[in-house]
């Protein structure tokens, strides 16, 4: 039976303690969707695009924002990232202060160029099944990435995915703040929605990762709720990702 997008979100990770097929948050640990929303939607600044090629950035914060919205296409077949021209923005304080622009600045007549036309120009299929549109809002002064949005262009069941070899390695020491670095790598192909779980008591700083070999490893932190045994953590870290759950 082919899983729906909802079933993938629910069953890919029940919690960060390897409790699967649960529809609730257990012990305060977040589900995959909650991690994704924290980085993309539940932020003061967020950016996204429509299939018609029209993009917006929104400021719900109480201060003005000056920065850049970057756009990249992660090509799943090739495993590389193709940049699309960025967009410099200046927004007044929010809530709901918005600016609009066509993706890549491409216009056709009175409107934007649709994605089904733009995607083949960058080596993707017209349907978008073999690419992910990655958007990030970057602060002009600090260079900090204040929000990210890795957008699938088709339902998960229709994404063109190759099996990657995904590994998570645990650092051999505890950081000063008590956390432990965990480095996630993908070899052979990009890995979508990489979820880390462990039997140790604690949580991961990020989860539901998109790991692209040409971009490099992704480093997250394990935040323990009690003194952590590094050997147990290293032995119990488990990796799941989307291609294994379709």
């Amino acid at each position: 039976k082919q899983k729906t997008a909802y079933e993938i979100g629910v069953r890919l990770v029940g919690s960060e303690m390897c409790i699967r097929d649960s529809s609730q948050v257990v012990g305060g640990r977040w589900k995959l969707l909650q991690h994704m929303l924290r980085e993309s939607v539940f932020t003061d600044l967020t950016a996204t695009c429509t299939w018609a090629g029209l993009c917006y950035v929104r400021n719900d914060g109480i201060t003005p924002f000056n920065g850049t919205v970057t756009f990249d296409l992660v090509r799943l077949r090739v495993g590389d990232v193709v940049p699309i021209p960025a967009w410099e923005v200046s927004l007044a304080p929010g809530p709901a202060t918005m600016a609009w622009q066509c993706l890549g600045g491409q216009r056709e007549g009175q409107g934007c160029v649709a994605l089904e036309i733009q995607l083949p120009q960058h080596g993707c299929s017209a349907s978008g099944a073999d690419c992910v549109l990655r958007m990030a809002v970057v602060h002009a002064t600090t260079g900090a990435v204040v929000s990210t949005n890795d957008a699938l262009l088709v339902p998960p069941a229709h994404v063109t995915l190759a099996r990657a070899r995904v590994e998570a390695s645990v650092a051999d020491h505890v950081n000063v703040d008590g956390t432990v670095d965990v480095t996630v790598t993908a070899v052979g192909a990009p890995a979508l929605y990489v979820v880390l779980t462990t039997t140790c008591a604690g949580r991961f700083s990020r989860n539901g990762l998109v790991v692209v070999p040409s971009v490099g490893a992704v480093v997250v932190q394990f935040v323990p709720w009690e003194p952590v045994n590094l050997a147990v953590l290293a032995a119990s870290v488990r990796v799941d990702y989307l291609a294994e759950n379709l």
Side-chain angles (χ1 to χ4, degrees):
K1 175 179 175 293
Q2 193 175 58
K3 297 182 176 69
T4 65
Y6 171 77
E7 288 173 320
I8 292 171
V10 169
R11 296 174 184 271
L12 189 57
V13 56
S15 77
E16 291 179 4
M17 288 286 285
C18 292
I19 302 173
R20 302 173 65 83
D21 291 293
S22 168
S23 61
Q24 300 180 6
V25 178
V26 181
R29 301 173 187 89
W30 284 10
K31 302 291 284 293
L32 167 63
L33 184 60
Q34 291 170 301
H35 280 281
M36 294 168 59
L37 292 177
R38 181 183 68 173
E39 296 190 359
S40 60
V41 178
F42 296 148
T43 57
D44 285 343
L45 289 124
T46 188
T48 194
C49 297
T50 69
W51 187 251
L54 181 60
C55 306
Y56 73 79
V57 59
R58 170 173 170 149
N59 183 13
D60 286 311
I62 61 173
T63 59
F65 175 78
N66 292 290
T68 304
V69 184
T70 63
F71 302 92
D72 298 285
L73 282 168
V74 180
R75 300 195 296 182
L76 302 177
R77 293 180 187 273
V78 183
D80 62 359
V81 176
V82 177
I84 297 174
W87 171 22
E88 293 186 3
V89 295
S90 181
L91 295 172
T97 301
M98 303 177 71
W100 300 79
Q101 180 167 300
C102 296
L103 179 64
Q106 293 197 43
R107 301 188 64 85
E108 185 176 46
Q110 298 300 314
C112 302
V113 178
L115 290 187
E116 63 184 4
I117 298 175
Q118 291 200 50
L119 291 173
Q121 298 172 357
H122 300 289
C124 302
S125 66
S127 69
D130 55 355
C131 285
V132 172
L133 179 58
R134 168 172 286 183
M135 295 156 277
V137 182
V138 184
H139 197 282
T141 303
T142 64
V145 177
V146 296
S147 74
T148 58
N149 184 5
D150 289 320
L152 292 183
L153 303 176
V154 296
H158 300 153
V159 177
T160 301
L161 290 172
R163 286 296 184 97
R165 187 175 81 250
V166 185
E167 298 178 347
S169 60
V170 176
D172 59 2
H173 64 279
V174 177
N175 297 324
V176 175
D177 61 0
T179 64
V180 180
D181 289 345
V182 180
T183 302
V184 184
T185 57
V187 178
L192 304 185
Y193 305 144
V194 177
V195 177
L196 304 173
T197 57
T198 177
T199 58
C200 295
R203 63 179 179 84
F204 292 95
S205 59
R206 296 178 59 206
N207 229 327
L209 311 169
V210 175
V211 186
V212 183
S214 63
V215 174
V218 176
V219 180
V220 301
Q221 285 71 46
F222 178 70
V223 184
W225 296 338
E226 60 188 25
V228 62
N229 184 313
L230 291 178
V232 173
L233 176 61
S236 67
V237 166
R238 170 175 170 170
V239 177
D240 291 279
Y241 64 103
L242 180 60
E244 296 178 321
N245 287 268
L246 291 177

